[in-house]
Each structure stands twice: as C-alpha cells, then as structure tokens.
Amino acid sequence: MNGDGTALPAAAPRDGTPAPGGSTAGRSTAAEPARRPAAPPADGEERATEAALRPKGLDGFIGQERVREQLDLVLRAARRRGATADHVLLSGAPGLGKTTLAMIIAAEMEAPLRITSGPAIQHTGDLAAVLASLTGGEILFLDEIHRMSRPAEEMLYLAMEDFRVDVVVGTGPDATAMSLELPPFTLVGATVRAGLLLPPLRDRFGFTGHMEFYDPAELERVVRRSARLLGVEIEPAGAAEIAGRSRGTPRIANRLLRRVRDYAQVTADGVVTREIASAALGVYEVDGRGLDRLDRAVLRALLKLFGGGPVGLATLAVAVGEERETVAEVAEPFLVREGLLARTPRGRTATPAAWAHFGLVPPPGPPPDGLPGAAPE
Ligand SMILES: Nc1ncnc2c1ncn2[C@@H]1O[C@H](COP(=O)(O)OP(=O)(O)OP(=O)(O)O)[C@@H](O)[C@H]1O
C-alpha cells in the first residue's frame, strides 16, 4: 500500500537483460511494467543484439573520455571507502550509452542493478515500491528520470538524501503515515538533458556526466568491436563507411552494421567492404551524411516547396505527411546539429549547406532571418 492508494508494482529490469553483479537472481526475468507498449519485432531483435553488444566494464566503453575518467574516480573512491557510490546523473541523446554505463556502474561496484523508468513512475506508490524493495548497495537505474510525476520526484528527494520514504498506509480515517528507512543505494538517473530536471533534483546528484555525440573514429571502433562480437568480417574502410553515417550514435552504428551484414551475406561473400557498406546503406536510404528518408523529405520540402523557408513546423509537418512531434523530435535535432536546418523565430529555415547537400542553388537575395548575414529584425 502507499500514499496515494495505488498498488505497488515492482521495478523490472529492462529488455530481460541479466543484471551485472549476479545478485539479482529472480528479478532479471520479470516483465516490463505494464504501461510500456510491447516492443515490435524489429525492436526485439535490436534489444537482444544491444544486450549482447554492451561493453561490460569501463575499460571496454569506447569514447566519452571525460565522463569515463570522472566516473572511474567516483567508483574507485567509493570502493576504497567500502561505501555506496554517490548518485549519478547521466545526460545525453538517446543511444549514446547511458543504460550501458548504468550497467557498468553496477558491475564495477559488484552490486545488483534494478532498472525502471520515469514513465513507469507516475504514482508515489510506484516509487515507494521500488525503493522499499532495494537491497543495501543496490544500483537503481531510472531512465528518462525527467518524465516521473512531480509527487514521485518529491518523494525521491528524501530517499536520495536521507535514505527514507514517507508513505501513507491505508485510506480514509484508518490512514497512517509511516517513515520507512531505506538501505543505502546509488541512484543512476538518465535524461536527454539535465536542464529538464528541476534544480532540487539535479542538485541531489553527486556526479553529473554529460554524454557527447561520438566522433567518427570512436564510432569506427564501436563498429569494429560489434562486428567482432557478431562474427562479421569487416574491412577498416567498411567500418569507416558505417561510422560516418551513424549520426554520432553507437546505437545507430550497431543498427546499420546489422543491416550491412544482411546485405553482405545475401549479395556477396559476407565480408563488409566499403563498397558493400555503401551499397547496403543506399538500399536502406541512409545517405553519405547519415540522413535518412525522413530527414531528406523534411529538407526537400523546405527547399522545394517553401524556397528554403522560413516556414512553420505545422506546415512543414503536413508537407511531409508526418506528425509535428516526429519532425521536431526525430528529424530536426540531427538536421540542426549538422547545420542543415535552423529553427528561427519566424520558422524553419534551410541553411546554405542544405541547398548544397541537394546540389541546389539558393534563390538570390539576403539569407533568411536567423541565418548568418541576415538583416537584423
Ligand atoms: N561507448 C560505447 N562503446 C560501445 N558500445 C556502446 C557505447 N555506448 C553505447 N554503446 C552501444 O549502443 C547501444 C545503445 O546504448 P544504450 O542503450 O546504453 O544507450 P542509451 O543512452 O541508454 O539510450 P536510451 O536513452 O535510448 O535508452 C548498446 O548496444 C551499446 O552496447
């Protein structure tokens, strides 16, 4: 029972991955919380391969030098003191390795790992159930922590700081407030941007690691490592070709590698050369810069239908037949990062690089508002 009278569901490890440390026996096969939709088959394959490809220790974790070095110090110091590590906040775009790092933290601390996510914690009871069942030293990974409900977030403050939760048992006149002592634990929170967290929560993390996009050389190492683990023969130029189209993201690099492997096995002798990688990614509509079909549709509409903009998000989304959120959250972040699209006060605008990417010439006249060289508003 809990403060808001809801049932107390248990946290479940994600994707059925056995928790490192080996001491979560009995938990690691529990089902995902019911609120999450079932993963489609392609996702299932991706999840299974992801689990197999995750580096198991900090040594095997490629790139993110600064976060790795700082985290290494935090963990080694905690181990030396024989204490649990400080709470850790990891921020960065999807697929950069936050879950992997949480698993590594558990492995390095030889502690069990519990995985849950903000969207699964909508009632204080959801969180109380998770916290009350933690064992001493356990690592609690809370993915998408910014999506927890506000009351749950407030409950978390107390748990992080004083290792205590206040719960209400019963309802109506029989309700009794109880304070539950918690064993010391380490919270590892993950979010796309630390700025999405309110300061009281952000300040309770002893260490914040910001994950950057990977450079092509690091992604090439990721691809070569994954190819080795998957038993795929790959030439260095083939790995470089995949890395260059992976949008700075290991998850995408691994996904493209699997598609290129399929192509190499079906159309050739299975060896991934530069030519095979390039031809395969052409089939899957991933261009030399990593733009996919949606990215290109957005840019093409912007250039060809709206003369490069500015145009509002809603109009642009209708033009490509997608939801506004899909355009804004899936396509635009990469296009902005690549310097192909600008979000200006008057709407979305194509940059000169976008015109050049399609071999088109921008219309004469000054650049639109918001781009370098534009007249001040
Ligand atoms: N530094 C790395 N070295 C090697 N592989 C990596 C690295 N970072 C991530 N990966 C691989 O990329 C995939 C995605 O990583 P992970 O699930 O940890 O990302 P994430 O940041 O938690 O994403 P999300 O926020 O979407 O859950 C995994 O298969 C993992 O093995």
Side-chain angles (χ1 to χ4, degrees):
M1 188 56 79
N2 62 82
D4 46 16
T6 52
L8 301 179
R14 205 164 64 168
D15 65 22
T17 312
S23 43
T24 49
R27 287 192 190 126
S28 60
T29 53
E32 180 79 327
R35 273 182 213 95
R36 281 202 168 195
D43 216 29
E45 188 212 344
E46 173 144 358
R47 282 168 168 234
T49 326
E50 262 188 11
L53 295 180
R54 287 185 200 285
K56 304 283 182 276
L58 271 181
D59 286 351
F61 193 82
I62 293 162
Q64 309 291 346
E65 304 296 338
R66 194 172 311 163
V67 173
R68 225 178 40 196
E69 195 181 322
Q70 293 167 343
L71 197 54
D72 186 40
L73 278 174
V74 169
L75 300 182
R76 277 203 296 179
R79 277 201 307 264
R80 189 163 293 187
R81 288 193 301 269
T84 51
D86 257 355
H87 302 303
V88 172
L89 179 64
L90 300 172
S91 71
L96 296 187
K98 299 181 295 294
T99 307
T100 305
L101 267 187
M103 292 178 167
I104 289 175
I105 290 171
E108 298 271 340
M109 295 304 292
E110 296 183 15
L113 174 72
R114 191 82 64 91
I115 298 181
T116 187
S117 68
I121 308 267
Q122 288 310 305
H123 304 282
T124 51
D126 299 335
L127 182 64
V130 174
L131 294 172
S133 62
L134 289 176
T135 54
E138 193 156 357
I139 311 291
L140 173 63
F141 178 54
L142 227 168
D143 201 5
E144 298 186 89
I145 188 169
H146 59 279
R147 293 181 63 194
M148 244 186 333
S149 71
R150 192 53 47 83
E153 192 174 312
E154 280 162 16
M155 175 180 266
L156 191 58
Y157 300 161
L158 195 63
M160 290 171 77
E161 209 157 72
D162 295 343
F163 296 107
R164 194 161 59 80
V165 277
D166 291 335
V167 289
V168 178
V169 179
T171 49
D174 296 332
T176 325
M178 268 180 55
S179 188
L180 277 182
E181 293 287 324
L182 303 173
F185 66 95
T186 298
L187 176 69
V188 180
T191 179
V192 281
R193 264 182 293 133
L196 294 174
L197 267 55
L198 291 178
L201 179 57
R202 222 167 46 217
D203 295 346
R204 282 172 167 82
F205 286 95
F207 170 72
T208 298
H210 177 67
M211 320 266 296
E212 306 282 352
F213 286 98
Y214 292 66
D215 65 34
E218 290 167 340
L219 282 182
E220 203 180 313
R221 284 170 59 204
V222 171
V223 171
R224 289 169 74 168
R225 174 182 176 276
S226 299
R228 199 178 62 245
L229 292 173
L230 294 173
V232 176
E233 198 177 328
I234 190 164
E235 292 183 356
E241 189 66 33
I242 296 172
R245 301 191 193 202
S246 298
R247 308 167 82 125
T249 308
R251 173 177 292 138
I252 297 179
N254 285 340
R255 185 187 303 154
L256 296 186
L257 171 65
R258 292 201 311 275
R259 297 294 70 83
V260 172
R261 170 201 58 187
D262 294 349
Y263 183 92
Q265 287 173 351
V266 171
T267 67
D269 57 0
V271 179
V272 176
T273 61
R274 180 188 294 281
E275 293 69 31
I276 288 283
S278 177
L281 295 174
V283 170
Y284 291 107
E285 299 183 88
V286 177
D287 75 15
R289 204 165 173 163
L291 271 63
D292 63 17
R293 190 202 55 78
L294 175 64
D295 301 324
R296 281 195 304 279
V298 168
L299 281 186
R300 257 203 215 102
L302 191 51
L303 297 171
K304 294 194 170 166
L305 299 180
F306 305 107
V311 61
L313 171 62
T315 310
L316 189 57
V318 169
V320 295
E322 288 287 353
E323 297 293 325
R324 287 161 51 122
E325 291 71 26
T326 309
V327 173
E329 288 162 27
V330 179
E332 284 188 353
F334 178 62
L335 297 176
V336 169
R337 188 157 60 83
E338 283 289 293
L340 295 167
L341 179 144
R343 289 165 162 164
T344 73
R346 295 185 45 205
R348 274 50 178 177
T349 305
T351 64
W355 290 96
H357 188 69
F358 286 90
L360 298 170
V361 180
D369 295 342
L371 290 187
E377 278 189 60

